Amino acid sequence: MKKLILTPLLTFLLIVFLASFTFQKQNSDKNEKTAGITMVSNEFPENVAKILKVHCNDCHVSTSKSDKAKKKLSFDKWNDLNMLKKTGKLNDIIEVVKEGEMPPEKYLNHYPDKKLTEEQTKTLVKWAEETMDSFKE
Ligand code: HEC
């Protein structure tokens, strides 16, 4: 009789325990993701923000050690640019990623996994073109 009550009870407790554990993990994953994106700027769609964060923001944020890179483009200051300036930068971005000029070759020699895949290049180009189109509306 005792055993009959105990087994379902233990099973129930185990399920509650596991469920809360999984839920917590999912939550912390989510927080981490959001933190990364707000660091870039809230103006980028998630798939773009992810690429910028990993592949560009070692250099293109206002806290970067590379003065040249951050002067040209700081993705965390994107919202400070007016439409005209954004358009200029978006055209530059399309050019450099299509030509494979960014991330710079020297850097890729040290960090080969930072090279953009064809898919990521397409994502950035598409975003840049669509953003410029949206300015015309
Ligand atoms: C290792 C550092 C580094 C990384 C990573 C990097 N850049 Fe750059 N980027 C630079 C530097 C340095 C310059 C300035 C080059 C110059 O003035 O000659 C630059 C310039 C640029 C420019 C301006 C080009 C122009 O014609 O004026 C654009 C646009 C750009 N980067 C986009 C990107 C994008 C997009 C990524 C990510 C896919 C990226 N960069 C990753 C260092 C970097």
Side-chain angles (χ1 to χ4, degrees):
M1 182 62 195
K2 227 182 188 177
K3 230 183 188 174
L4 262 180
I5 301 176
L6 218 59
T7 315
L9 186 69
L10 278 178
T11 314
F12 176 70
L13 283 176
L14 187 71
I15 289 171
V16 169
F17 174 75
L18 285 178
S20 72
F21 196 77
T22 321
F23 181 68
Q24 260 178 14
K25 182 162 177 349
Q26 267 175 359
N27 244 10
S28 74
D29 282 354
K30 210 169 162 191
N31 285 345
E32 213 170 279
K33 253 193 221 156
T34 338
I37 289 157
T38 33
M39 197 191 77
V40 180
S41 152
N42 52 15
E43 187 151 317
F44 305 105
E46 190 172 336
N47 58 346
V48 170
K50 265 191 197 159
I51 299 172
L52 298 180
K53 186 179 167 225
V54 175
H55 297 270
C56 312
N57 283 6
D58 275 359
C59 308
H60 289 290
V61 287
S62 53
T63 50
S64 159
K65 281 191 214 127
S66 169
D67 285 331
K68 255 190 182 173
K70 70 183 174 194
K71 241 186 235 161
K72 287 265 172 168
L73 190 56
S74 287
F75 284 113
D76 57 332
K77 300 278 179 211
W78 183 253
N79 286 330
D80 296 349
L81 302 178
N82 62 29
M83 236 183 243
L84 197 66
K85 285 204 170 135
K86 278 183 183 166
T87 303
K89 297 298 170 192
L90 289 165
N91 274 316
D92 290 346
I93 291 169
I94 291 173
E95 193 181 317
V96 297
V97 300
K98 268 191 177 166
E99 299 294 322
E101 289 167 12
M102 287 287 150
E105 204 177 342
K106 260 194 186 167
Y107 173 79
L108 291 180
N109 289 338
H110 290 280
Y111 309 101
D113 54 327
K114 298 272 185 173
K115 191 173 163 62
L116 293 176
T117 64
E118 222 171 278
E119 195 63 37
Q120 289 169 326
T121 303
K122 270 190 206 154
T123 302
L124 288 184
V125 170
K126 187 162 174 266
W127 160 74
E129 286 171 351
E130 283 175 0
T131 307
M132 286 193 283
D133 283 347
S134 76
F135 293 161
K136 291 175 200 149
E137 279 159 13

